[in-house]
């Protein structure tokens, strides 16, 4: 999975918890750096507001370069505060603060729902 978060403390705790539940986590502090990792991940968790560019921009890049990979937005802003957030069609939008254990549960549920049935 790819975790894109500009706040180091948040990125570190999410990484620790997600790794503890078995995820292989690649991290970046910004959306532009994340583009290089898009092809090698099965889910993306991104902050919306970052210094280099936004999670909305990263979603566009993911849809172009990694179609089918689910993208989860995590934001301290509501849809009313972020123009285009509702229309962006993230697979899931979570409002901060997000408990890292709940984030892990949400990712697992999202991925389980996408798993091919036998």
């Amino acid at each position: 999975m790819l975790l894109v978060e500009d706040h180091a403390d948040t990125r570190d705790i999410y990484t620790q918890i997600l790794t503890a539940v078995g995820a292989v986590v690649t991290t970046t502090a910004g959306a532009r750096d994340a583009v290089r990792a898009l092809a090698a991940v099965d889910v993306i968790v991104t902050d919306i507001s970052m210094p280099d560019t936004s999670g909305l921009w990263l979603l566009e890049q993911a849809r172009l370069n990694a179609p089918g990979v689910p993208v989860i937005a995590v934001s301290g802003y509501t849809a009313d505060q972020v123009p285009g957030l509702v229309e962006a069609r993230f697979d899931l939008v979570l409002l901060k603060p997000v408990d890292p254990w709940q984030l892990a549960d949400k990712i697992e549920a999202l991925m389980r729902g996408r798993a091919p049935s036998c």
Side-chain angles (χ1 to χ4, degrees), residues 34-59:
V35 171
R36 290 186 280 269
L38 291 178
V41 299
D42 54 1
V43 64
I44 301 163
V45 176
T46 184
D47 192 3
I48 292 292
S49 179
M50 295 176 279
D52 65 346
T53 190
S54 74
L56 294 167
W57 178 85
L58 181 59
L59 175 66

Side-chain angles (χ1 to χ4, degrees), residues 44-85:
I44 301 163
V45 176
T46 184
D47 192 3
I48 292 292
S49 179
M50 295 176 279
D52 65 346
T53 190
S54 74
L56 294 167
W57 178 85
L58 181 59
L59 175 66
E60 292 174 15
Q61 298 306 307
R63 296 296 187 236
L64 291 171
N65 299 302
V69 172
V71 182
I72 299 171
V74 179
S75 179
Y77 299 105
T78 65
D80 293 339
Q81 295 170 306
V82 180
L85 182 59

Side-chain angles (χ1 to χ4, degrees), residues 11-12 15 20 22 25 27-28 32-33 43 50-51 57-58 61 64 66 74 78 82 86 93-94 96 98 100 103 117:
R11 188 175 57 246
D12 291 346
T15 300
V25 182
T27 64
T28 69
R32 293 200 186 278
D33 289 337
V43 64
M50 295 176 279
W57 178 85
L58 181 59
Q61 298 306 307
L64 291 171
V74 179
T78 65
V82 180
V86 173
V93 176
L94 303 172
K96 289 180 179 179
V98 176
L103 176 60
S117 58

